[in-house]
Amino acid sequence: MAHTVQTLALTHSAVLDMLSAGVAKAQTMGQPQCIVIVDASGEMLGQIRMTGAKYLSMKSARTKARTAASIGAATDAIPEAVGLYIAAATDGAVTRLGGGLPIMVDGALVGGIGVGSGSAEQDVEVASAALAVLQSG
């Protein structure tokens, strides 16, 4: 039985590049955003609240990032019928609000990204732009 596993981890350079790409996308949309990136265990790696973004959206962005990292899927993949129950059972630590995506590298879950302050569609668009950095580099 193996006592260790080898894991992939995001570098600080990747996190900075992802934040920059997310900010650039949000600027082209004209929608200031809160962007949060966590590792696979839900620990904060980086975050930014763009000028004009709703300050309370930092909390939802963080929850979206941690949820996506926890379930290894988009936050809106949680069925609507159970979304409120899961949120209540976890004291709001899990959400089904759109805007949270898992960060996958070579098929391995390395973290989650959460975006908030726009519509769910805008949040996903910004998160996707940030994730595209990992495909190009």
Side-chain angles (χ1 to χ4, degrees):
M1 172 185 265
H3 293 284
T4 61
V5 295
Q6 204 167 17
T7 60
L8 294 174
L10 291 169
T11 65
H12 65 274
S13 295
V15 172
L16 289 170
D17 289 347
M18 291 172 68
L19 288 172
S20 293
V23 166
K25 182 62 175 179
Q27 287 174 323
T28 65
M29 296 167 51
Q31 177 58 58
Q33 294 281 29
C34 296
I35 305 168
V36 176
I37 298 171
V38 300
D39 68 13
S41 68
E43 284 299 313
M44 179 77 60
L45 295 176
Q47 66 180 16
I48 190 166
R49 181 171 69 92
M50 293 173 63
T51 304
K54 301 169 194 152
Y55 70 89
L56 286 177
S57 292
M58 281 303 291
K59 183 173 183 174
S60 64
R62 187 176 311 112
T63 302
K64 291 175 188 183
R66 295 185 79 197
T67 298
S70 177
I71 67 173
T75 49
D76 59 7
I78 295 174
E80 187 172 355
V82 299
L84 290 177
Y85 298 110
I86 291 173
T90 61
D91 286 330
V94 174
T95 185
R96 73 166 307 279
L97 294 173
L101 298 175
I103 303 173
M104 307 292 289
V105 174
D106 295 334
L109 179 68
V110 297
I113 183 168
V115 179
S117 205
S119 68
E121 294 77 20
Q122 290 171 320
D123 295 351
V124 169
E125 198 171 335
V126 169
S128 296
L131 290 177
V133 166
L134 299 176
Q135 306 307 315
S136 64

